[in-house]
Amino acid sequence: MDEYKKAIGKGEEGLSALITQYQTPDTFSLTHNLPNETLLLTEKTTVTLSNIEMSSQLFFVLLEKTKVTIGEKVSITEYAENEYCIREHGISRLALGNIERILPNSIGCSLKWVRLYNTGLINILPKLRINEDCKVEWFVLSATEKEHIAGILSQDQPICVGSVENMNLENHAVSILPKLRNHKDHEIGLLRLAADRKEYVDGILAQEEMFCVGRVKNALFEGYAVSFVLKMNHEDSEVETKKNTLLQSSHKNNRSVLGG
């Protein structure tokens, strides 16, 4: 990896030297049995993943730098040295093409945190297979461009996100809330929706159907996301209420709070 970084720093000349030094296969099969030789995988290399569990960091590097195809029994897990399992990440056209080709629910996933900010990588979510009993401490998505969540909006099937403790959706990401499915017996501790532009909520408000958010202990709506209260099916949604339940709506702050 150090040699690769040095070569990249020298531009095309350094990369050309690296290519002549190592084999650059057109195809490469990555399984739990890793090769003993050193290979250089490029954007022209088709990497087939099968029968392997890998860190989320390695998976996204391959997604960005190579042509990825998904075989059987592929799963990603947390990267021990990283604070986040999935985090803010730039995205290339190559990565977008890889995501489009991956079949839904084809990648097993066991992550404690999902945090994606303003990136097309959010569209990877329908491709992940997250078990209902998978404990996700934080599920955070923020999208300032509709393209960041276009792949999710085009999906008809709901997306299982496991058993989420805290969910935070911002801007365009709030519009995918009806497509997310938390474990039916699990209560979300905090649901926060925030949208600072009307265009971020227009899609939801235009829908005639109401939607259910499941069991929620505390809910916080900020900005134009306050209007989501009108679209929630309160008969099927359970927001915990007690004698000291707080319901506030401030025109100045444009915020509503529901909680126990």
Side-chain angles (χ1 to χ4, degrees), residues 21-189:
Q21 184 177 354
Y22 298 113
Q23 293 187 49
T24 55
D26 293 329
T27 61
F28 177 69
S29 180
L30 182 58
T31 66
H32 67 282
N33 294 319
L34 297 177
N36 294 324
E37 58 183 330
T38 301
L39 302 174
L40 179 62
L41 307 181
T42 71
E43 61 182 14
K44 296 181 180 180
T45 306
T46 298
V47 177
T48 300
L49 307 179
S50 61
N51 299 307
I52 188 171
E53 178 181 272
M54 64 176 61
S55 71
S56 59
Q57 187 190 49
L58 174 58
F59 175 75
F60 284 119
V61 168
L62 292 173
L63 204 67
E64 287 280 345
K65 303 297 183 182
T66 69
K67 297 178 182 178
V68 175
T69 60
I70 303 297
E72 297 181 350
K73 299 180 180 179
V74 176
S75 62
I76 59 176
T77 186
E78 62 183 294
Y79 177 52
E81 298 181 10
N82 202 329
E83 179 183 359
Y84 309 137
C85 294
I86 302 181
R87 61 176 182 173
E88 184 171 5
H89 201 294
I91 188 167
S92 63
R93 292 183 179 179
L94 183 59
L96 286 174
N98 284 329
I99 291 174
E100 290 178 0
R101 289 193 301 272
I102 297 174
L103 295 176
N105 302 312
S106 60
I107 304 172
C109 184
S110 177
L111 301 173
K112 292 182 179 179
W113 296 277
V114 175
R115 298 187 181 186
L116 289 167
Y117 302 94
N118 304 322
T119 171
L121 283 178
I122 294 175
N123 291 306
I124 195 72
L125 291 176
K127 318 296 183 174
L128 303 180
R129 186 176 64 257
I130 305 177
N131 293 328
E132 284 190 339
D133 57 355
C134 178
K135 301 293 184 182
V136 181
E137 295 182 12
W138 279 98
F139 187 90
V140 182
L141 304 177
S142 179
T144 53
E145 302 292 337
K146 195 169 184 179
E147 290 74 13
H148 295 158
I149 45 93
I152 296 178
L153 293 179
S154 65
Q155 296 286 323
D156 294 328
Q157 298 298 320
I159 301 171
C160 177
V161 294
S163 298
V164 177
E165 299 293 335
N166 302 282
M167 181 178 292
N168 184 4
L169 305 178
E170 298 180 356
N171 298 327
H172 273 301
V174 300
S175 63
I176 70 171
L177 178 63
K179 293 184 176 291
L180 304 180
R181 293 292 181 270
N182 195 50
H183 192 299
K184 63 179 181 179
D185 296 325
H186 182 77
E187 181 181 66
I188 297 177

Side-chain angles (χ1 to χ4, degrees), residues 204-217:
I204 289 293
L205 297 181
Q207 297 179 12
E208 296 182 1
E209 301 85 359
M210 306 286 280
F211 65 88
C212 170
V213 297
R215 299 176 58 193
V216 178
K217 184 174 183 179

